[in-house]
Amino acid sequence: MDAPVKPNMIDDLRSYIEALDAAGELHRVETEVDWKYELCHISKVNEEQDGPALLYENVKDNTAPVFTSAFTTKERLAIALEQDPGQSMSSLSQKWMELTTQGLVPPEYVDDVPVMENQITENIDITKFPVPHFYPDDGGRFFVTAGYLLTEDPDTGWTNLGTYRSQVLGPDILGSQILPGKHGEFHMKKYAERGELMPAAAVVGCDPVLFLAGSTLVSSDVSEFDIAGALRQRPVPVFKSEVTGLTLPANAEIIAEGFIDPNELMDEGPFGEYTGYYSGNKGKDFKKPVLRIKRILHRNNPVMWSTTVGKPINDIHMIQSLNRTATLWHDLETMKVPGIESVYMPPEACGRFWAIVSVRQKYPGHSNHVGNAVIASTTGHYGVKGVITVDHDIQADDWDRVMWALSTRFDPKRSAQIIDRGRSTVLDPGLPIDERKITSRILLDACTPYEWEDKPNEIFMDREVLQKVSDRWSEYGFEGSSPVADMIDRLTKPEEIK
Ligand SMILES: Cc1cc2nc3c(=O)[nH]c(=O)nc-3n(C[C@H](O)[C@H](O)[C@H](O)COP(=O)(O)O)c2cc1C
Ligand SMILES: [Mn+2]
């Protein structure tokens, strides 16, 4: 298949870093930094200030550089997806939804395999790479934070890419936090039943679209390679490993491949999680499966890619916001819920705990239908604690207006509904540590009830005058094109919208 040539075509981590550099979105740290805490702390402070992506070129004890803070702004996320950096998060999610539901693009086997430039099969020591130690109470150094674990279904050959963090537990041992219900666990259970070891590969430093696909809730039996292909509209280049038999990405920076014994568990963690709290209790057993590495492959001059995780907002919150908004939106469309205008799972809510949906109401109880549909959907049923519904004049990602609706269209007794039970996440620090399987939820309906005949008299602007203001925008001495054009429907009376 001939790849369409695009201006900022990205096929691996290097071309992404180059694209960021060209867009003025990259800062190189040339002075020596320590992989223990210092690197993470610099990145975190930089991220808190919406700073650029960082490339640490001189990391203590190592020669390879470390790349961080890739996706902490929507612009860099859009560049990774080869999309227009000017659009909002919600519309980027909409684009993601469109591309991944139009059709899948399977990977393509290639002969040119850069990651095979170097092979290590003896004296394996994963700490030869600059693996960061992020936060003071972390259990150690974490190799996979931006990357994925690749496994295959022994019956069907379905290749799964799942972003599960992995701690260095020995020179050739990586822990793997495959949480319950994840596809890596599905595969592992099958190998356990067969009494076989599970081939697995930890991939770090990949085409950013593979990291994004690896951390997305995609249906089981669907390969994230195919999703990445759909997002890029061209196949991911892959090759077959003669050591594990796995189909691996040809352009990765570093691959540690080997076998997971489903019966072998080791203490792993704690880890400073995306909730802003450590996972696991310090001193309490926290057993995880482990990957025993048989071979490390890496490109010449490999680049290590890491993410700080921790408190919002950093890579993981932006990724979850992007892909969960997309899958929730798709779930709602699949359920044929009418009137959905926009959907947003804010990064501030760790990209998953709250959902906001804008709806154009068409019947009494419509907004309530939407709130209930969200928590009944596959995405919305997992760990969502609250849903806010707003009328169509408010965009789901316009927090100022959402807060206004919660203030002026909302009566707690009428508009709030508590649901007692739903699927939670074991990482939710809002629940007692031993009771995290089930959460309650709240639906906040910030819409004016459809059935009210005597609705409050809302202030709207005159449509014709607004059009005139839009046409004359530059005459008033303002720079740039008129911002009014996109707002006219929202600022004028609904009856006037044709
Ligand atoms: C940076 C990052 C780290 C993550 N760490 C984990 C993890 O340690 N364990 C886990 O089960 N899910 C983790 N996730 C979420 C999973 O990647 C996500 O649920 C994905 O759908 C898993 O793939 P699967 O659906 O193929 O199992 C992480 C996501 C991101 C973006
Ligand atoms: Mn999967």
Side-chain angles (χ1 to χ4, degrees):
M1 184 167 142
D2 285 338
V5 179
K6 293 195 181 177
N8 65 335
M9 215 164 86
I10 292 163
D11 279 317
D12 55 10
L13 181 57
R14 295 160 190 225
S15 45
Y16 178 48
I17 293 174
E18 274 167 30
L20 292 180
D21 206 3
E25 291 276 352
L26 182 78
H27 174 71
R28 294 169 195 275
V29 179
E30 288 167 11
T31 189
E32 187 185 90
V33 302
D34 200 327
W35 48 262
K36 187 162 185 177
Y37 309 156
E38 187 184 14
L39 184 151
C40 165
H41 289 35
I42 299 165
S43 294
K44 190 72 190 121
V45 172
N46 168 65
E47 288 162 2
E48 294 279 341
Q49 294 169 11
D50 296 331
L54 300 178
L55 190 66
Y56 295 94
E57 294 183 327
N58 185 356
V59 182
K60 194 176 161 209
D61 308 331
N62 293 92
T63 51
V66 179
F67 175 60
T68 74
S69 318
F71 301 143
T72 51
T73 65
K74 70 177 178 57
E75 286 77 14
R76 294 200 289 276
L77 205 44
I79 292 172
L81 289 165
E82 298 175 344
Q83 298 295 333
D84 170 14
Q87 63 195 307
S88 74
M89 279 291 283
S90 176
S91 74
L92 196 57
S93 293
Q94 192 176 18
K95 186 80 201 163
W96 173 295
M97 170 176 71
E98 285 163 12
L99 286 169
T100 54
T101 50
Q102 271 164 13
L104 299 175
V105 179
E108 188 173 69
Y109 286 89
V110 294
D111 295 327
D112 177 25
V113 181
V115 73
M116 289 282 283
E117 281 163 358
N118 302 276
Q119 299 190 42
I120 305 169
T121 50
E122 280 167 26
N123 301 321
I124 289 173
D125 181 2
I126 199 73
T127 62
K128 291 251 163 64
F129 298 94
V131 181
H133 190 140
F134 295 92
Y135 294 109
D137 283 353
D138 281 355
R141 302 171 72 174
F142 284 81
F143 178 66
V144 178
T145 50
Y148 50 87
L149 187 80
L150 186 150
T151 55
E152 272 177 20
D153 186 305
D155 298 326
T156 66
W158 151 45
T159 300
N160 192 71
L161 279 55
T163 298
Y164 319 120
R165 65 134 195 265
S166 84
Q167 185 182 343
V168 177
L169 298 177
D172 58 353
I173 306 176
L174 290 172
S176 198
Q177 178 180 245
I178 311 174
L179 291 173
K182 301 295 169 99
H183 296 156
E185 194 198 46
F186 289 6
H187 290 175
M188 203 167 58
K189 282 184 171 161
K190 286 196 173 187
Y191 282 97
E193 276 167 23
R194 290 166 168 239
E196 291 173 15
L197 300 179
M198 174 167 79
V203 181
V204 168
C206 55
D207 179 339
V209 83
L210 287 172
F211 175 29
L212 291 172
S215 47
T216 300
L217 275 173
V218 175
S219 314
S220 53
D221 294 306
V222 172
S223 174
E224 286 80 1
F225 274 144
D226 302 11
I227 296 286
L231 288 165
R232 286 264 183 265
Q233 295 290 292
R234 54 181 186 272
V236 174
V238 294
F239 69 103
K240 207 167 195 51
S241 160
E242 71 277 15
V243 170
T244 52
L246 293 167
T247 296
L248 299 173
N251 294 347
E253 297 291 328
I254 310 164
I255 300 178
E257 60 172 335
F259 298 88
I260 292 178
D261 177 348
N263 298 312
E264 182 184 22
L265 301 177
M266 287 172 69
D267 279 349
E268 190 259 14
F271 179 66
E273 277 288 354
Y274 71 93
T275 57
Y277 292 84
Y278 290 93
S279 58
N281 264 348
K282 246 186 139 182
K284 192 175 175 183
D285 269 2
F286 215 53
K287 304 276 186 200
K288 302 282 163 49
V290 298
L291 168 65
R292 288 192 175 264
I293 305 168
K294 294 289 167 240
R295 176 168 79 160
I296 296 177
L297 302 173
H298 70 90
R299 290 177 77 158
N300 294 334
N301 307 312
V303 182
M304 174 84 198
W305 186 1
S306 290
T307 168
T308 57
V309 192
K311 289 180 188 163
I313 294 172
N314 55 47
D315 294 328
I316 181 165
H317 313 100
M318 296 293 280
I319 296 171
Q320 301 210 108
S321 172
L322 173 80
N323 63 38
R324 283 173 198 265
T325 298
T327 54
L328 174 60
W329 202 329
H330 181 60
D331 289 348
L332 295 172
E333 303 230 321
T334 312
M335 292 160 94
K336 296 192 167 34
V337 180
I340 304 297
E341 293 277 318
S342 55
V343 178
Y344 189 47
M345 301 191 78
E348 294 82 356
C350 305
R352 68 158 322 157
F353 291 114
W354 282 82
I356 304 166
V357 183
S358 167
V359 53
R360 189 178 288 273
Q361 296 194 75
K362 296 183 196 320
Y363 46 86
H366 190 164
S367 50
N368 188 256
H369 177 191
V370 171
N372 280 291
V374 168
I375 60 167
S377 72
T378 303
T379 305
H381 189 67
Y382 180 27
V384 168
K385 299 201 214 186
V387 184
I388 304 173
T389 40
V390 290
D391 282 303
H392 68 272
D393 59 326
I394 297 175
Q395 287 169 338
D397 57 0
D398 184 350
W399 180 244
D400 294 353
R401 284 286 191 263
V402 171
M403 198 63 211
W404 173 65
L406 278 171
S407 308
T408 62
R409 297 175 180 178
F410 180 83
D411 165 34
K413 208 156 187 178
R414 178 194 75 235
S415 321
Q417 205 178 326
I418 290 187
I419 315 294
D420 288 347
R421 287 173 59 78
R423 183 182 178 195
S424 182
T425 159
V426 291
L427 297 180
D428 181 359
L431 297 169
I433 196 134
D434 294 323
E435 294 167 38
R436 290 186 175 172
K437 292 200 172 91
I438 298 293
T439 182
S440 63
R441 314 189 196 279
I442 192 161
L443 307 182
L444 301 178
D445 186 351
C447 297
T448 300
Y450 180 87
E451 63 279 14
W452 279 10
E453 285 186 8
D454 198 8
K455 292 197 173 62
N457 190 12
E458 191 178 331
I459 304 165
F460 291 104
M461 293 194 227
D462 186 89
R463 195 172 178 87
E464 272 177 33
V465 176
L466 261 186
Q467 187 59 55
K468 183 168 139 192
V469 168
S470 183
D471 296 341
R472 298 192 61 200
W473 191 249
S474 57
E475 288 177 52
Y476 305 133
F478 296 123
E479 285 183 11
S481 58
S482 158
V484 184
D486 293 341
M487 300 178 184
I488 289 184
D489 277 358
R490 278 192 289 131
L491 300 180
T492 51
K493 261 201 167 113
E495 303 87 83
E496 290 181 28
I497 301 171
K498 295 284 172 301

